[in-house]
Amino acid sequence: MKYVNIGGSELLGSTVALGCMRIAQLERSDLCRLLGAAIDAGINLFDHADIYGGGRCEEVFGEALQALPAKREDLLLQTKCGIRDGFFDFSKKHILASVDGSLARLRTDYLDLLLLHRPDALVEPDEVAAAFDELHAAGKVRGFGVSNQNPAQLELLRRHVRQPLLANQLQLSVAHTGMIDSGINVNMTTPGAHDRDGGSSTTAGSTRPRSKPGRSSNTARSKARSSTLASSPSSTGHSPRRPPASASRQGRSRSRGSCGIPRGCRRSWAQPIRTASRPWQPQPKSN
């Protein structure tokens, strides 16, 4: 097993951790075998959260740990707090209460790592800082971190918290690739999103130039089909979709009928659009 100093700290953790999210479903004997096998394989980092099993996962872990020969100082116990029933709570009061509850359930005097469980959009960084200060001074938590936060959220906390944030635990699996997607899509936009405003979009290091006057983007064309036909000739040189009125029609009244189309243009609007793939051919005269 390989080990690393977590966040450059003195906490030496195995590169493989055992997640304890569903251990409350195991029988006592099965849980003891699981923990024993993990420790025998060199795993010393165990991940918890106060909401896993409603706190029951921490409780059964603490009970099983008493029956194992492992020493507490050889293990790194990590737990998370901040998620309540239906909302997040990173207040000082809740953080302190959550840690005391986790310590009691895990049957330990201290936590090696405490993580804020996902981002709280209404976080008050000063309250987090005050809670971390009190927990660290009391010897209840050795190190701190977060989970599933982006660089901007991390930077906000770092401006207020005096202890280093050692870890950012990110969710990643075959079915959940948000951590990778966010990096790939950071400069990606919906096709044509900027073209509608006459701008440009950048994808894969190349720039799509600004649309030229008189030409519409794919998005603009789709809008034109649902609202009005283009009034300018296409780049292929074929007839415009709305051909100009003939000399005989120019003298007619341009007032609109009940359908909203100028009376003199109804027939021209109904004519099929000629394309390069199907050139127009004159029809033979019928006898």
Side-chain angles (χ1 to χ4, degrees), residues 82-89 120:
I83 298 180
R84 302 186 67 173
D85 187 14
F87 63 100
F88 295 92
D89 188 351
D120 178 8

Side-chain angles (χ1 to χ4, degrees), residues 130-152:
F132 284 6
D133 284 346
E134 187 168 329
L135 291 170
H136 190 265
K140 293 181 178 180
V141 179
R142 298 176 66 190
F144 301 89
V146 299
S147 73
N148 296 290
Q149 298 201 14
N150 62 36

Side-chain angles (χ1 to χ4, degrees), residues 1-156:
M1 179 65 65
K2 294 181 179 180
Y3 299 87
V4 295
N5 291 98
I6 299 176
S9 70
E10 62 180 9
L11 300 177
L12 190 64
S14 55
T15 54
V16 176
L18 179 65
C20 301
M21 183 175 179
R22 293 182 175 87
I23 61 174
Q25 302 172 4
L26 300 176
E27 296 292 336
R28 174 70 177 272
S29 58
D30 294 334
L31 177 57
C32 289
R33 282 197 295 270
L34 172 65
L35 298 181
I39 293 172
D40 290 342
I43 295 175
N44 72 340
L45 178 57
F46 297 88
D47 174 61
H48 293 271
D50 59 355
I51 64 167
Y52 290 170
R56 180 62 181 162
C57 292
E58 291 180 331
E59 187 175 350
V60 298
F61 181 92
E63 294 172 355
L65 203 59
Q66 305 301 312
L68 296 176
K71 297 180 180 179
R72 171 64 182 92
E73 56 268 23
D74 294 333
L75 305 180
L76 294 184
L77 300 188
Q78 169 183 288
T79 195
K80 300 181 287 292
C81 70
I83 298 180
R84 302 186 67 173
D85 187 14
F87 63 100
F88 295 92
D89 188 351
F90 285 3
S91 66
K92 176 183 176 182
K93 179 180 179 180
H94 180 70
I95 292 174
L96 296 178
S98 295
V99 169
D100 287 340
S102 292
L103 291 175
R105 290 188 291 270
L106 291 169
R107 300 191 181 187
T108 184
D109 296 328
Y110 65 94
L111 297 171
D112 296 284
L113 278 169
L114 174 67
L115 308 184
L116 297 179
H117 207 171
R118 298 187 177 272
D120 178 8
L122 302 179
V123 61
E124 293 288 349
D126 288 334
E127 289 210 27
V128 174
F132 284 6
D133 284 346
E134 187 168 329
L135 291 170
H136 190 265
K140 293 181 178 180
V141 179
R142 298 176 66 190
F144 301 89
V146 299
S147 73
N148 296 290
Q149 298 201 14
N150 62 36
Q153 292 163 334
L154 272 170
E155 183 59 30
L156 174 63

Side-chain angles (χ1 to χ4, degrees), residues 179-224:
M179 182 176 68
I180 298 175
D181 296 342
S182 63
I184 294 175
N185 297 325
V186 66
N187 283 325
M188 302 288 281
T189 59
T190 303
H194 289 296
D195 290 342
R196 289 194 294 268
D197 299 325
S200 62
S201 61
T202 303
T203 57
S206 62
T207 303
R208 182 164 53 199
R210 185 187 300 270
S211 301
K212 295 182 179 180
R215 298 183 183 180
S216 58
S217 65
N218 292 335
T219 305
R221 291 193 191 100
S222 63
K223 287 187 174 182

